[in-house]
Amino acid sequence: MRYSEMFLPTTKEIPSDAEIVSHQLMLRAGMIRKLAGGIYTYLPLGYRVIKKVENIVREEMNRAGAQELFMPAVQPAELWMESGRWNMYGKELLRVKDRHNRDYCIGPTHEEVITALVRDEIQTYRQLPMNLYQIQTKFRDEIRPRFGVMRSREFGMKDAYSFDADEAGAEKSYRKMFDAYIRIFRRCGLHFRPVEADSGNIGGSFSHEFMVTAESGEDAMVHCTSCDYAANLEKAEVSRPEGKADQAVDFSPIEEVHTPDIRTIEEVCAFLDVKPGDIVKTMIFVGDGKPVAVLVRGDEDVNETKLRNYLGCDSLELAMDDTILEVTGSPRGFAGPIGIKSVIIADYSLIGMGNFVVGANRENYHIKNCNIGRDFEIRNYADLRIVKEGDLCPRCGKELKIARGIEVGHVFKLGMKYSKSMNATFLDSDGKEKYMIMGCYGIGIGRTAAACIEQSRDGDGIIWPMPIAPFQVIITPVNINDENLARVAEELYKGFVEEGVEVILDDRNERAGVKFKDADLIGIPIRITVGAKSLAEGKVEVRSRKSGEVEKVSLETVRDFITKTIMEQLSIS
RNA sequence: CGGGGCGUAGCGCAGCUUGGUAGCGCGCCUGCUUUGGGAGCAGGAUGUCGCAGGUUCAAAUCCUGCCGCCCCGACCA
């Protein structure tokens, strides 16, 4: 490619509406342009990167035995009604009507389509296992798209679906995908970590997210400083404290105190001169329509995902004021366990606490020296709180840390959720009809590219790892008007093209500085500078974008030198 | 959906308080000089001031409604 002919609009100025570095750099490097909120065009340079990522994904999926197909983006409502998701999915599902007023949606995912296909075509265990994937444009009408291509409404995704005859097979399929993902993200040059994740209301039992570590990441993940335990914050477990009696103290006489207009933990602490750790928070939730009181120590927070899983309910939300009044008999801010009209469950953090402060279920009153067993009963203790940095690892007991990350991929064991609702069965070797056991596996393509930029860039621009760089080499003749330089650059260029090297020749009539700045901005791993001084010695300069190191290489040996360097940087450890 | 902000040349912004001639930087075009880290000089082009209504002799500026975009929050297979 010749730079002079390429549609590559780079900018010096930072676009004002781009929040994170990858978004800014993708705009500045002429990779993307916005069409509407959360909807982007990939320009030629950006699309080259996308195709690189897609091809890595494709190679590794094929290697793992998955087969590529291509499903429709537009899907009929009937399928979604079958799985029950037409009503469950909510506003994120973009619904459209055709000319006959029939309902369709733009696919946010493809479980329905693939399950319907496999259900109709696979009859016997002899045809299993099966793993099918596609790379497709999805649409999710996000409430708030942001960070450019990182959280957009329209986006490219690889989604794979496995179908197995039994649990053992499903485990194996899951493991294969897990391993393939590790190869994929390694090849993309990313620093990442697979973390245990909640499987959400997609159902199923097991799930990992692949998180690229980045400060700008939207997700929090927890990892152990000692063993390899790592989990999504939602999922991260807290062990039941050992060696602590449920009640460890002598009971003091219970005492109701007047606390006028004192509601929050901070206010109670200041007013009663206690620490948050001396208080028990009573949170009223409504799960599938029924109120539940959740007790958690004052310095902890309830993890709604854990609570939802514990209760086994579909919907869960904090109670509204009228429900609180109904259950506690008092307005918001004074809820407590004593006399409450609902089930009470307590987080592990309450174990060993005694003589604590709670709300009195009476406006403007709290209770001191409250105790479980004497003053009220709980149904059970459970792990219901959000993990904090410094908590102990549920596996090895060492300290946990929290880091931020970008979710670039996830693997789910779906189980029979869709095969049941959509009746995807097969005839097993024992002659019985059984439901297929499914798994689904996604990778955000654009997000992976953006995550890479977050991790690999400097003040001058992007630093692409060789495997996903839009070009492997850029040739920069310092002055195109110097016929000698222009000729040598041209010959080098043609040589590389013949060799199959992905090369761009910066043949623009620009000053050297401009070309250097652009080359750095768009992040080509290797730059060959053709300048008068070195050329006098029969040499050109080979510069690494990453290290900035420059090596003078003779014209006779550059081709070998470059192809060797590229090969080295393409192979994974 | 709640709160906040923005919409003026391709991009980044000023002008709006206090109504009257639309401006700056970058980019773009022409010429000359320059040519190893975003060049200099000279000349030049470019705007339904987001849209629609209203007030006024007069609206980018004041008022009303709408649309779009950004940030915070709620939401999230």
Side-chain angles (χ1 to χ4, degrees):
Chain A
M1 190 73 224
R2 289 167 194 278
Y3 202 126
S4 63
E5 292 167 4
M6 184 153 176
F7 179 38
L8 178 42
T10 59
T11 63
K12 235 190 294 193
E13 312 210 34
I14 300 168
S16 60
D17 57 357
E19 215 19 34
I20 57 170
V21 187
S22 60
H23 188 195
Q24 293 171 356
L25 286 175
M26 286 176 95
L27 288 165
R28 286 190 56 209
M31 291 179 66
I32 56 168
R33 287 294 182 264
K34 182 168 71 183
L35 180 64
I39 301 179
Y40 290 84
T41 297
Y42 282 98
L43 308 191
L45 191 81
Y47 195 48
R48 290 183 77 100
V49 175
I50 293 302
K51 283 189 287 189
K52 286 280 186 84
V53 175
E54 287 180 355
N55 280 333
I56 289 174
V57 168
R58 203 167 262 133
E59 283 172 24
E60 295 301 335
M61 292 307 290
N62 292 345
R63 184 205 299 270
Q67 300 176 59
E68 187 168 14
L69 49 50
F70 192 70
M71 291 181 268
V74 175
Q75 308 177 14
E78 287 78 47
L79 269 184
W80 286 72
M81 291 172 177
E82 244 187 86
S83 70
R85 287 207 291 185
W86 185 257
N87 294 321
M88 291 302 291
Y89 214 99
K91 288 189 178 167
E92 214 176 283
L93 184 65
L94 181 67
R95 297 155 212 254
V96 291
K97 282 181 190 293
D98 72 1
R99 62 167 70 197
H100 305 293
N101 214 31
R102 285 185 293 237
D103 288 310
Y104 291 83
C105 64
I106 314 289
T109 176
H110 282 72
E111 279 86 9
E112 280 79 3
V113 180
I114 196 83
T115 307
L117 177 76
V118 170
R119 162 187 67 191
D120 293 346
E121 306 300 331
I122 303 270
Q123 284 98 26
T124 141
Y125 72 97
R126 292 174 198 276
Q127 292 167 292
L128 297 174
M130 179 74 78
N131 189 330
L132 300 166
Y133 78 99
Q134 66 171 345
I135 297 173
Q136 240 271 12
T137 298
K138 311 282 192 203
F139 195 96
R140 294 180 191 175
D141 202 354
E142 294 277 349
I143 290 174
R144 190 145 90 85
R146 58 187 130 176
F147 303 146
V149 117
M150 195 78 92
R151 189 173 196 76
S152 51
R153 297 195 291 170
E154 185 176 302
F155 60 98
M157 177 171 166
K158 185 284 303 180
D159 48 324
Y161 305 89
S162 66
F163 298 83
D164 278 276
D166 54 33
E167 278 295 332
E171 295 279 345
K172 209 169 150 192
S173 295
Y174 185 90
R175 190 74 220 173
K176 269 190 187 167
M177 287 295 106
F178 188 95
D179 293 342
Y181 274 36
I182 287 185
R183 290 185 59 90
I184 287 166
F185 296 123
R186 234 181 233 164
R187 281 183 66 183
C188 289
L190 292 163
H191 298 115
F192 66 98
R193 191 195 289 269
V195 307
E196 293 178 18
D198 183 71
S199 45
N201 54 358
I202 197 163
S205 42
F206 212 55
S207 147
H208 283 89
E209 288 173 347
F210 285 76
M211 305 286 280
V212 167
T213 49
E215 271 307 307
S216 58
E218 284 191 275
D219 299 301
M221 55 181 171
V222 175
H223 61 93
C224 179
T225 48
S226 173
C227 73
D228 62 359
Y229 178 75
N232 185 306
L233 186 62
E234 282 185 345
K235 165 88 177 177
E237 302 156 28
V238 178
S239 301
R240 186 184 177 113
E242 284 174 39
K244 274 190 183 178
D246 284 6
Q247 292 102 20
V249 293
D250 298 327
F251 295 160
S252 301
I254 194 165
E255 184 186 341
E256 191 173 64
V257 286
H258 186 53
T259 50
D261 214 28
I262 302 294
R263 289 181 160 79
T264 65
I265 295 292
E266 291 73 36
E267 287 164 358
V268 174
C269 284
F271 191 83
L272 296 177
D273 192 26
V274 293
K275 295 189 294 292
D278 301 327
I279 303 174
V280 167
K281 267 195 276 197
T282 306
M283 311 279 290
I284 315 292
F285 286 86
V286 178
D288 285 349
K290 275 186 288 190
V292 186
V294 179
L295 306 185
V296 63
R297 210 204 301 146
D299 54 352
E300 303 289 357
D301 289 300
V302 174
N303 180 330
E304 292 192 29
T305 303
K306 287 184 183 175
L307 179 59
R308 179 180 290 121
N309 290 342
Y310 176 80
L311 296 172
C313 58
D314 289 328
S315 79
L316 181 76
E317 54 211 7
L318 264 172
M320 296 290 139
D321 286 358
D322 54 340
T323 311
I324 292 176
L325 187 62
E326 197 178 302
V327 174
T328 70
S330 90
R332 183 181 293 274
F334 303 98
I338 302 177
I340 200 163
K341 282 179 257 166
S342 77
V343 167
I344 302 172
I345 47 179
D347 177 67
Y348 288 156
S349 56
L350 264 72
I351 292 176
M353 280 181 80
N355 297 328
F356 44 80
V357 176
V358 295
N361 289 334
R362 178 183 170 197
E363 187 165 11
N364 294 334
Y365 284 90
H366 279 77
I367 287 172
K368 284 168 78 172
N369 299 328
C370 183
N371 285 287
I372 298 173
R374 181 189 68 180
D375 303 322
F376 66 94
E377 295 293 339
I378 61 167
R379 183 206 271 176
N380 213 344
Y381 287 107
D383 173 18
L384 298 171
R385 71 174 172 91
I386 298 174
V387 167
K388 285 189 306 191
E389 192 147 288
D391 280 340
L392 301 182
C393 175
R395 299 280 186 277
C396 75
K398 294 280 169 20
E399 211 168 285
L400 291 175
K401 278 214 179 325
I402 295 182
R404 299 205 68 81
I406 300 163
E407 181 192 348
V408 289
H410 53 210
V411 289
F412 267 108
K413 236 187 87 186
L414 279 177
M416 298 188 283
K417 178 177 163 104
Y418 293 94
S419 45
K420 267 188 182 162
S421 63
M422 299 186 65
N423 203 35
T425 60
F426 66 99
L427 206 58
D428 207 351
S429 54
D430 56 9
K432 289 198 178 118
E433 191 177 33
K434 292 179 184 169
Y435 291 113
M436 298 179 197
I437 299 172
M438 294 173 57
C440 78
Y441 317 91
I443 289 179
I445 302 292
R447 187 182 275 193
T448 299
C452 181
I453 297 175
E454 288 292 326
Q455 278 194 341
S456 182
R457 34 94 185 177
D458 60 18
D460 291 315
I462 303 168
I463 304 173
W464 289 114
M466 189 62 77
I468 63 171
F471 293 98
Q472 296 166 333
V473 176
I474 183 165
I475 302 174
T476 308
V478 156
N479 182 353
I480 204 78
N481 296 315
D482 181 327
E483 280 176 29
N484 204 23
L485 299 187
R487 186 180 46 76
V488 171
E490 185 74 30
E491 280 167 10
L492 271 176
Y493 171 68
K494 284 182 177 152
F496 283 129
V497 170
E498 251 170 53
E499 201 98 19
V501 171
E502 295 164 18
V503 59
I504 180 167
L505 170 66
D506 194 347
D507 56 344
R508 293 175 301 168
N509 187 13
E510 289 285 354
R511 298 166 61 88
V514 174
K515 297 190 190 186
F516 292 155
K517 287 289 182 190
D518 274 332
D520 287 349
L521 177 61
I522 65 177
I524 310 304
I526 300 172
R527 188 181 81 202
I528 302 178
T529 313
V530 183
K533 276 175 236 157
S534 298
L535 200 58
E537 311 163 26
K539 289 181 174 171
V540 290
E541 291 158 32
V542 177
R543 183 177 190 271
S544 155
R545 173 68 182 88
K546 190 172 182 184
S547 69
E549 279 167 26
V550 176
E551 197 161 341
K552 291 192 178 184
V553 182
S554 76
L555 279 174
E556 293 77 49
T557 53
V558 244
R559 268 169 79 165
D560 286 350
F561 182 86
I562 295 292
T563 45
K564 197 166 143 261
T565 308
I566 292 172
M567 289 312 290
E568 276 170 16
Q569 292 186 25
L570 280 179
S571 62
I572 58 168
S573 47

